[in-house]
């Protein structure tokens, strides 16, 4: 019985040490993408980089559409990241095409990638690549996303052919 009680104390101490060590490891800075010691992918961002904002929007928007289809949350994301003029144009586009104007599709892509483009005259351009399907059967669509440099809001989304 005494041996069992000693084992319980050791187990509790081990769990306490693990609980304290995990947050410390989680708070450690991450290495740049591709340079992590374990080779695990990493993500980073900058709230002042407009194309990062585009990436954050598409990542969150696709997550919501993929996981829950929560229209209220998708609407709040649109309100935060998109100008009111674009939201209005998207509603018109969506009624005409019976599809999601942000994705320019009726379905949800498997993945997304945002590449920064050029900037000038107060706005910047990003290219969004949406991946449909997986493996050798994957196909891609490309969108051009324009953002205002001052507000960092997305001002236009067009299909790129």
């Amino acid at each position: 019985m005494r041996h069992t009680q000693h084992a319980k104390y050791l187990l509790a101490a081990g769990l306490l040490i693990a609980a304290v060590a995990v947050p410390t490891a989680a708070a450690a800075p991450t290495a740049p993408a591709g340079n992590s010691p374990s080779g695990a992918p990493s993500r980073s961002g900058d709230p002042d980089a407009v194309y990062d904002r585009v990436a954050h929007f598409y990542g969150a928007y696709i997550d919501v559409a993929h996981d829950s289809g929560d229209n209220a949350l998708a609407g709040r994301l649109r309100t935060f990241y998109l100008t009111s003029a674009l939201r209005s144009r998207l509603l018109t586009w969506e009624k005409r095409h019976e599809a999601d104007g942000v994705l320019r599709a009726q379905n949800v892509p498997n993945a997304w990638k945002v590449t920064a483009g050029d900037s000038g005259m107060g706005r910047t351009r990003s290219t969004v690549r949406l991946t449909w399907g997986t493996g050798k059967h994957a196909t891609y669509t490309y969108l051009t996303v324009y953002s205002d440099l001052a507000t960092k809001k997305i001002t236009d989304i067009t299909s790129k052919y």
Side-chain angles (χ1 to χ4, degrees):
M1 179 128 159
R2 187 174 166 160
H3 184 67
T4 306
Q5 198 169 21
H6 183 66
K8 286 181 185 177
Y9 288 128
L10 284 175
L11 178 62
L15 291 174
L16 180 60
I17 291 170
V20 171
V22 168
T24 305
T30 58
N35 294 334
S36 64
S38 67
S42 63
R43 302 269 194 279
S44 63
D46 177 352
D48 289 326
V50 178
Y51 79 94
D52 274 349
R53 292 263 182 141
V54 172
H56 296 160
F57 169 66
Y58 270 90
Y61 192 85
I62 289 169
D63 285 350
V64 167
H66 181 268
D67 292 351
S68 68
D70 184 340
N71 291 335
L73 180 53
R76 288 193 303 274
L77 287 169
R78 285 182 179 214
T79 299
F80 183 78
Y81 285 99
L82 312 179
T83 63
S84 60
L86 175 57
R87 291 193 311 270
S88 178
R89 287 194 311 275
L90 285 176
L91 289 176
T92 301
W93 188 96
E94 289 170 342
K95 287 177 185 175
R96 188 176 330 126
H97 294 78
E98 297 182 5
D100 186 303
V102 169
L103 303 174
R104 295 294 202 250
Q106 293 178 334
N107 299 317
V108 180
N110 297 44
W112 54 267
K113 178 180 178 180
V114 176
T115 305
D118 57 353
S119 298
M121 301 189 61
R123 70 181 197 164
T124 189
R125 178 180 51 85
S126 302
T127 299
V128 176
R129 182 183 82 175
L130 302 176
T131 304
W132 307 91
T134 58
K136 63 182 177 180
H137 299 292
T139 59
Y140 307 97
T141 56
Y142 295 86
L143 305 173
T144 300
V145 176
Y146 295 94
S147 302
D148 182 274
L149 289 171
T151 65
K152 300 178 185 93
K153 296 256 186 186
I154 296 171
T155 60
D156 203 8
I157 300 169
T158 60
S159 296
K160 187 175 180 177
Y161 300 101

